[in-house]
mmCIF file of all heavy atoms in Angstrom:
data_model
loop_
_atom_site.group_PDB
_atom_site.id
_atom_site.type_symbol
_atom_site.label_atom_id
_atom_site.label_comp_id
_atom_site.label_asym_id
_atom_site.label_seq_id
_atom_site.Cartn_x
_atom_site.Cartn_y
_atom_site.Cartn_z
ATOM 1 N N PHE A 34 115.223 78.381 104.298
ATOM 2 C CA PHE A 34 116.449 78.949 104.865
ATOM 3 C C PHE A 34 117.407 79.462 103.793
ATOM 4 O O PHE A 34 118.626 79.437 103.974
ATOM 5 C CB PHE A 34 117.178 77.928 105.749
ATOM 6 C CG PHE A 34 116.441 77.591 107.019
ATOM 7 C CD1 PHE A 34 115.544 76.533 107.049
ATOM 8 C CD2 PHE A 34 116.635 78.338 108.174
ATOM 9 C CE1 PHE A 34 114.839 76.226 108.209
ATOM 10 C CE2 PHE A 34 115.951 78.033 109.340
ATOM 11 C CZ PHE A 34 115.055 76.987 109.360
ATOM 12 N N PRO A 58 109.724 82.273 110.722
ATOM 13 C CA PRO A 58 110.104 83.676 110.507
ATOM 14 C C PRO A 58 111.573 83.830 110.108
ATOM 15 O O PRO A 58 112.440 83.040 110.509
ATOM 16 C CB PRO A 58 109.865 84.304 111.889
ATOM 17 C CG PRO A 58 108.977 83.375 112.617
ATOM 18 C CD PRO A 58 109.318 81.997 112.102
ATOM 19 N N HIS A 59 111.820 84.879 109.316
ATOM 20 C CA HIS A 59 113.175 85.292 108.979
ATOM 21 C C HIS A 59 113.219 86.808 109.022
ATOM 22 O O HIS A 59 112.180 87.476 108.983
ATOM 23 C CB HIS A 59 113.557 84.817 107.572
ATOM 24 C CG HIS A 59 113.607 83.332 107.425
ATOM 25 N ND1 HIS A 59 114.574 82.558 108.016
ATOM 26 C CD2 HIS A 59 112.798 82.467 106.776
ATOM 27 C CE1 HIS A 59 114.373 81.280 107.731
ATOM 28 N NE2 HIS A 59 113.298 81.196 106.991
ATOM 29 N N SER A 60 114.437 87.363 109.064
ATOM 30 C CA SER A 60 114.572 88.816 108.999
ATOM 31 C C SER A 60 115.744 89.170 108.096
ATOM 32 O O SER A 60 116.482 88.286 107.643
ATOM 33 C CB SER A 60 114.758 89.408 110.392
ATOM 34 O OG SER A 60 116.013 89.056 110.927
ATOM 35 N N CYS A 93 120.210 86.777 107.706
ATOM 36 C CA CYS A 93 118.985 86.699 108.496
ATOM 37 C C CYS A 93 119.353 86.904 109.948
ATOM 38 O O CYS A 93 120.272 86.243 110.462
ATOM 39 C CB CYS A 93 118.327 85.337 108.293
ATOM 40 S SG CYS A 93 116.940 85.057 109.427
ATOM 41 N N GLY A 94 118.668 87.814 110.620
ATOM 42 C CA GLY A 94 118.988 88.100 112.006
ATOM 43 C C GLY A 94 118.681 86.942 112.940
ATOM 44 O O GLY A 94 119.241 86.847 114.027
ATOM 45 N N LEU A 95 117.785 86.050 112.510
ATOM 46 C CA LEU A 95 117.413 84.911 113.333
ATOM 47 C C LEU A 95 118.279 83.702 113.039
ATOM 48 O O LEU A 95 118.402 82.797 113.877
ATOM 49 C CB LEU A 95 115.950 84.561 113.100
ATOM 50 C CG LEU A 95 114.948 85.705 113.318
ATOM 51 C CD1 LEU A 95 113.544 85.272 112.943
ATOM 52 C CD2 LEU A 95 115.005 86.213 114.737
ATOM 53 N N HIS A 96 118.827 83.668 111.833
ATOM 54 C CA HIS A 96 119.651 82.537 111.386
ATOM 55 C C HIS A 96 120.857 83.124 110.679
ATOM 56 O O HIS A 96 120.871 83.203 109.436
ATOM 57 C CB HIS A 96 118.869 81.628 110.448
ATOM 58 C CG HIS A 96 117.500 81.279 110.950
ATOM 59 N ND1 HIS A 96 116.361 81.898 110.478
ATOM 60 C CD2 HIS A 96 117.106 80.408 111.901
ATOM 61 C CE1 HIS A 96 115.299 81.392 111.130
ATOM 62 N NE2 HIS A 96 115.726 80.494 111.982
ATOM 63 N N MET A 99 122.389 82.271 107.218
ATOM 64 C CA MET A 99 121.742 82.583 105.935
ATOM 65 C C MET A 99 122.339 83.866 105.377
ATOM 66 O O MET A 99 122.230 84.920 106.010
ATOM 67 C CB MET A 99 120.221 82.786 106.139
ATOM 68 C CG MET A 99 119.478 81.558 106.570
ATOM 69 S SD MET A 99 117.749 81.920 107.010
ATOM 70 C CE MET A 99 117.122 82.611 105.473
HETATM 71 CU CU1 CU B 222 116.080 83.161 109.060
#
Side-chain angles (χ1 to χ4, degrees):
F34 291 91
H59 297 290
S60 69
C93 171
L95 305 175
H96 313 102
M99 294 172 59

